[in-house]
Amino acid sequence: MNKYRTHTCGELSIKDKNKKISLSGWINKKRDHGNLLFLDLRDNYGITQCVIDNTHQNFKELEKLPLESVIKIEGKVIERTKETLNKELNTGEIEISIISYEILGNTKELPMPVFSDQEYSEEIRLKYRFLDLRRKKIHQNIILRSKVISFIRSEMEKNGFLEFQTPILTSSSPEGARDFLVPSRLNPGKFYALPQAPQQFKQLIMVSGFDKYFQIAPCFRDEDARADRSPGEFYQLDLEMSFVEQEDVFEIVEKLMTNVFKKFSNKKMLYDKFPKISYSDAMIKYGTDKPDLRNPIIINQFTEVFKREDVSFDIFKKLVNKGSIVRGIVAKNTKDKPRSFFDGIDQWAKDQGASGLAYFTIEKDTELKGKGPVGKFFGQDSIKEIMKISNAEVGDSIFLACGKKGEVENILSMARDKIANDLNLINYDTFAFCWIVDYPMFEVDEKTKKITFSHNPFSMPQGNINKIDFSKPLEIKAYQYDIVCNGIELSSGAIRNHIPELMYKLFSIAGYNKKLVDEKFSGMINALSYGAPPHGGIAPGIDRIIMLLAGEKNIREVTMFPMNQNAQDLMMEAPSQITEEQLKELNLTFKKNK
RNA sequence: GGGGGUGUAGCUCAGUUGGUUAGAGCGAUCGCCUGUCACGCGAUAGGUCGAGGGUUCGAGUCCCUUCACUCCCGCCA
C-alpha cells in the first residue's frame, strides 16, 4: 500500500462509507468552531472535508496548522447528515473523521492566499507561480492545455502524421522576427539562433521523404510582448505534408480544429465549413486580415459618393480629390441613441490616433435626410446612393472615415469592433472560424519603400509558374493562408515553393542575390536541388487555441511558467548575470556603457 | 523607442478641497465558540503611502524626476 494515500481528495463517495482511508494534500481551508474543526484537504483531484473534535488528542495541533501545509490524514469515511451535505463538492456526501495525521510539508506565511477568487498583481503571481498554480482556475487551465495537446497528438497520429523533434540550436535567418542568439564556445565569434519556427526543418523533413510531419514545437522570437503574445517563447502545432495542394491542408486542419473545439468547449461553432475570404476582400470588408466574423458589420466603400454634386462635405471632397478614399460602416437602428453615443465613438476614434469619424443618421419625413453634424451635407439622392451601397435603412447611422487606404482600413476595423460591442451585436458564445487566402507574395515596406516578402519567402506563387509576370511583383499572389477565429490569428501556412530557380527569382525581387540566398538558406536551397516533393503545411498556435477554449484574454493564464512583459522570469530570476569565466569561455566581452 | 493605466499593512482595496494619530476586509498572533463549508464573535501586532526631489505653515493627496507591474502603438504571423 502507498505510504501517503489510499485515495485522492476527489474520489471518495458514499460508496466508501465506513472505510478506513488515508489522504494526502494541502490544507485548503479551516473552519474552527473551537471544539470542532473542519479542515478541507485539497489535491489535484478535488477537495475532501475532514473533521476532528476536542476529544481527540491531536485537536489542538491541527487547529494551529497554517493553510497550505501539506499533511497526510488517516481517518474513516463518514456519511454526512442530510442538512450538512455540500452539493458543490464531488465528495460532498461524505467527510473524513480524522484518526491521525502527519505533517509532510510545512509552510511559511503565505505571500498570497491560495483559497480566494481575488485577483492579484502579476508581479506576485509570477514570483510565486507555484502558489498561483494551486489556485483553481489557472490549475484547470493548465490541465486543459495538457488534455488539448494530448488530443491533438492522437488526432494527428490517427491521420498518419509522424512526430519529430527538430534542433533548438540552429542558425540565424534574415527574414522574420528578431532571433534569440546563443554564442558558440567551440566556434568563437559565431552564434546559434533559437528557431523562430521549425520552418526550414519541416521542409527538409518533406525532402527527406517522411510525407507527413507534425510537432508541438517551441518557437522563439525576441519581440515585445502583448496580452496574447508571450515574450520569447510559444508553441505551435507545426505540420507539413507532401504531395498536397492548399485544399488538402485545409481539409486536415479544418477537421482537427472542429474536433478540438467541439470536444473542449460548449460554445457553438458558427460555421461547419470555414468560409474562405481572400486577403483583398478581407481588407475591404473588415479592414483587417483577422476579422471577427461574429461581428455582422461590414465596411462599405463610399469614395465615389464624394465625387457627386449633391454632396457638399468639402473636407472629405477635397481629400478625395487628392487621392484619399472614404469608407464607412452602418450602425443599425441607432436613431434613438443619445448624442453622447455618437460623440463617444468619434472621441474614441481620435483616441486611437485617427482624425475622427464623421457620422449622420438617416431620417425620413417627407424626404430622406441626414441628421447629425455632417448630415446636412448630403442631398436626398446621395443618401439613397449610400443606402444602396451599404444596405442601410432609415433609422440607421453611417460612420465615415476618410484618408489613405491603410489609415481608413485600420480605424474602421477597430470601429467595427467598438460599435458592435457598444450595440451588443457579438455573440460571445460562438466560435467563428475562417480561412484568409490569396495573400500577396510581396508588399512595399512603408518606411524603406522597398519590396519585401509579405509573409513567408518560401511560399509558392499562384498560377502557371511559366507565365508569372515578375515585372509586376505586387500582383503576384501566393498559396498562403491564415486561420482566424473570433478575430484572433491562429495560424498561418502555405504551399511551399520547392523549385530552386523560382526561389532565386522571387528572392531577387526582394533584393537577395543568388549568392546571398545560397549563403543564408543553404540547407533549404541545397535540399530543393536534389528532388524535392511539392509540399505545404501550416502551424496553428497552441497557446491561442487554449486561450479561446479557456475563454482567457491573457496568454499567461494558459502558460505554466510565463515571463513578464519585460521577458523576465520573476520566479527563476532569468535572465541573470553570468560570471567572467563564462564570458571568457565564450570569447565575449561587454562593451561598457559610457 | 512612444503613449495610457496602476502602485497605500503579508494580500485585495478605501482614503473627500492639501489639514489632528492613514482606515476596512482577508491573512497572521491570542482568546471564545461542537455542524461549518467565504463559519461566527472579541482582541493584538502589522505602514519608508514604490523611490528621490520640489511647492506649502502643512503632502498619501499638487508639481518634477525615476522605478516596478500592466495595456496599447511600433515590432511580431
Side-chain angles (χ1 to χ4, degrees):
Chain A
M1 197 177 78
N2 179 287
K3 180 177 166 186
Y4 297 110
R5 61 186 179 193
T6 56
H7 297 78
T8 70
C9 295
E11 68 174 314
L12 288 168
S13 72
I14 199 83
K15 290 177 202 143
D16 303 295
K17 193 175 156 185
N18 293 329
K19 272 188 196 159
K20 205 186 152 206
I21 57 88
S22 58
L23 298 175
S24 286
W26 289 261
I27 302 177
N28 191 56
K29 190 68 186 166
K30 286 186 299 185
R31 288 171 297 281
D32 187 354
H33 291 238
N35 294 313
L36 177 72
L37 172 69
F38 295 103
L39 186 156
D40 291 340
L41 200 66
R42 182 196 73 238
D43 66 12
N44 181 61
Y45 309 96
I47 288 176
T48 302
Q49 173 167 286
C50 306
V51 62
I52 188 169
D53 71 17
N54 65 350
T55 59
H56 195 289
Q57 56 168 352
N58 296 130
F59 178 77
K60 283 284 170 198
E61 298 158 33
L62 269 169
E63 210 181 11
K64 292 284 173 259
L65 277 183
L67 300 184
E68 295 306 309
S69 302
V70 179
I71 60 172
K72 173 192 171 188
I73 295 280
E74 285 185 323
K76 195 173 152 190
V77 180
I78 303 292
E79 181 177 2
R80 294 203 203 183
T81 62
K82 210 174 180 185
E83 306 79 57
T84 60
L85 296 178
N86 184 346
K87 284 170 189 157
E88 315 244 307
L89 292 181
N90 284 337
T91 60
E93 286 183 320
I94 55 97
E95 64 190 2
I96 306 303
S97 173
I98 296 173
I99 295 167
S100 67
Y101 84 104
E102 184 185 340
I103 296 174
L104 302 175
N106 281 307
T107 177
K108 297 200 279 188
E109 188 178 338
L110 298 171
M112 56 179 279
V114 170
F115 173 72
S116 168
D117 291 329
Q118 274 179 6
E119 294 194 20
Y120 306 109
S121 73
E122 287 295 330
E123 202 171 354
I124 199 128
R125 291 184 62 193
L126 293 180
K127 182 164 181 193
Y128 297 96
R129 191 60 163 178
F130 47 88
L131 289 179
D132 193 31
L133 287 167
R134 288 180 197 171
R135 298 170 66 216
K136 193 171 179 184
K137 192 165 179 224
I138 189 163
H139 199 86
Q140 292 308 318
N141 283 353
I142 299 297
I143 289 172
L144 172 71
R145 184 184 176 114
S146 169
K147 288 185 171 160
V148 171
I149 288 176
S150 160
F151 179 74
I152 287 174
R153 261 206 180 96
S154 76
E155 290 288 292
M156 294 305 286
E157 281 162 8
K158 259 188 234 165
N159 284 315
F161 286 78
L162 303 171
E163 183 172 14
F164 300 118
Q165 285 72 51
T166 50
I168 298 298
L169 294 174
T170 181
S171 64
S172 179
S173 72
E175 284 287 319
R178 193 179 294 114
D179 283 319
F180 277 103
L181 297 174
V182 180
S184 166
R185 175 179 59 84
L186 293 175
N187 303 277
K190 292 190 174 172
F191 289 80
Y192 302 97
L194 307 184
Q196 296 180 22
Q199 180 64 36
Q200 293 192 56
F201 289 111
K202 70 172 167 179
Q203 292 192 240
L204 289 163
I205 290 170
M206 293 302 101
V207 178
S208 308
F210 288 101
D211 203 62
K212 285 180 189 165
Y213 142 90
F214 85 102
Q215 178 183 196
I216 309 294
C219 304
F220 306 90
R221 292 173 193 170
D222 187 5
E223 298 293 352
D224 289 356
R226 287 289 182 276
D228 63 350
R229 205 163 84 201
S230 286
E233 53 192 80
F234 62 97
Y235 283 80
Q236 288 182 339
L237 165 61
D238 195 42
L239 68 94
E240 197 76 6
M241 308 158 75
S242 286
F243 306 110
V244 290
E245 294 179 283
Q246 191 165 282
E247 281 299 325
D248 300 306
V249 179
F250 287 1
E251 202 187 316
I252 284 282
V253 175
E254 202 165 309
K255 202 170 89 190
L256 177 74
M257 288 295 150
T258 304
N259 288 347
V260 167
F261 277 75
K262 281 193 173 160
K263 184 172 171 71
F264 292 101
S265 177
N266 294 323
K267 293 186 184 181
K268 278 200 182 116
M269 304 277 280
L270 198 56
Y271 309 108
D272 281 337
K273 191 86 188 142
F274 301 175
K276 295 185 186 72
I277 305 169
S278 76
Y279 172 82
S280 58
D281 276 359
M283 295 310 287
I284 289 169
K285 286 164 79 175
Y286 310 105
T288 173
D289 64 348
K290 35 186 176 183
D292 185 347
L293 295 188
R294 295 174 304 176
N295 180 344
I297 297 173
I298 284 173
I299 296 170
N300 305 283
Q301 308 190 71
F302 293 125
T303 311
E304 290 305 313
V305 175
F306 288 82
K307 294 176 181 167
R308 294 169 61 104
E309 301 239 321
D310 63 343
V311 172
S312 54
F313 191 4
D314 288 337
I315 309 172
F316 276 26
K317 291 190 86 155
K318 275 181 193 162
L319 287 166
V320 167
N321 270 332
K322 286 182 193 160
S324 286
I325 62 162
V326 181
R327 289 181 188 172
I329 57 183
V330 176
K332 299 298 283 181
N333 195 23
T334 43
K335 66 176 191 310
D336 297 328
K337 289 279 173 188
R339 177 73 185 253
S340 59
F341 166 78
F342 298 97
D343 286 346
I345 288 169
D346 183 46
Q347 184 55 48
W348 164 87
K350 285 175 177 145
D351 291 344
Q352 306 304 309
S355 43
L357 288 172
Y359 64 85
F360 66 89
T361 305
I362 302 169
E363 292 200 330
K364 185 173 189 181
D365 36 30
T366 49
E367 57 180 37
L368 286 168
K369 60 179 183 180
K371 182 192 147 202
V374 305
K376 58 178 182 265
F377 298 126
F378 296 89
Q380 165 150 249
D381 288 340
S382 66
I383 292 179
K384 269 189 192 156
E385 181 64 17
I386 285 174
M387 292 168 78
K388 195 178 147 199
I389 293 170
S390 62
N391 292 320
E393 296 166 304
V394 173
D396 297 349
S397 306
I398 315 284
F399 287 85
L400 298 163
C402 177
K404 287 181 195 157
K405 187 162 164 277
E407 292 164 4
V408 170
E409 284 168 349
N410 193 25
I411 188 63
L412 286 180
S413 76
M414 289 191 287
R416 237 186 113 241
D417 292 340
K418 163 79 178 162
I419 290 170
N421 239 311
D422 287 0
L423 297 178
N424 234 331
L425 302 180
I426 295 176
N427 180 356
Y428 290 101
D429 279 328
T430 54
F431 291 119
F433 279 89
C434 64
W435 291 100
I436 306 295
V437 299
D438 302 338
Y439 276 83
M441 189 82 213
F442 298 101
E443 64 188 9
V444 177
D445 187 304
E446 289 287 334
K447 278 186 216 148
T448 61
K449 304 289 171 202
K450 281 183 183 162
I451 289 182
T452 61
F453 290 105
S454 71
H455 230 86
N456 179 322
F458 305 124
S459 300
M460 182 65 104
Q462 292 188 13
N464 186 325
I465 294 162
N466 301 315
K467 289 181 185 164
I468 294 171
D469 184 355
F470 293 102
S471 66
K472 293 176 183 164
L474 295 178
E475 286 175 17
I476 302 174
K477 293 198 180 357
Y479 286 116
Q480 177 97 48
Y481 35 84
D482 278 12
I483 299 181
V484 173
C485 178
N486 294 359
I488 292 168
E489 184 193 309
L490 276 188
S491 52
S492 65
I495 297 300
R496 320 297 175 185
N497 179 354
H498 67 286
I499 303 163
E501 298 75 37
L502 185 55
M503 185 95 81
Y504 286 126
K505 183 74 205 164
L506 294 168
F507 267 103
S508 75
I509 292 169
Y512 294 83
N513 61 32
K514 185 169 185 297
K515 192 174 159 245
L516 202 59
V517 176
D518 284 340
E519 204 175 291
K520 293 294 180 187
F521 305 100
S522 60
M524 272 293 303
I525 204 85
N526 196 25
L528 296 182
S529 313
Y530 291 93
H535 60 287
I538 194 164
I542 295 284
D543 312 80
R544 287 184 182 171
I545 289 173
I546 314 289
M547 280 173 76
L548 282 169
L549 290 171
E552 295 287 359
K553 290 213 166 83
N554 195 296
I555 201 163
R556 287 186 298 270
E557 301 302 324
V558 297
T559 308
M560 206 159 195
F561 298 113
M563 296 200 283
N564 70 9
Q565 193 167 42
N566 294 320
Q568 298 159 343
D569 180 335
L570 297 176
M571 183 175 60
M572 303 302 282
E573 296 183 337
S576 59
Q577 292 204 321
I578 55 170
T579 63
E580 281 296 327
E581 232 172 359
Q582 287 174 300
L583 273 178
K584 208 172 157 187
E585 263 188 340
L586 294 168
N587 276 285
L588 295 177
T589 51
F590 275 124
K591 212 170 170 180
K592 293 253 163 68
N593 279 334
K594 288 178 189 172

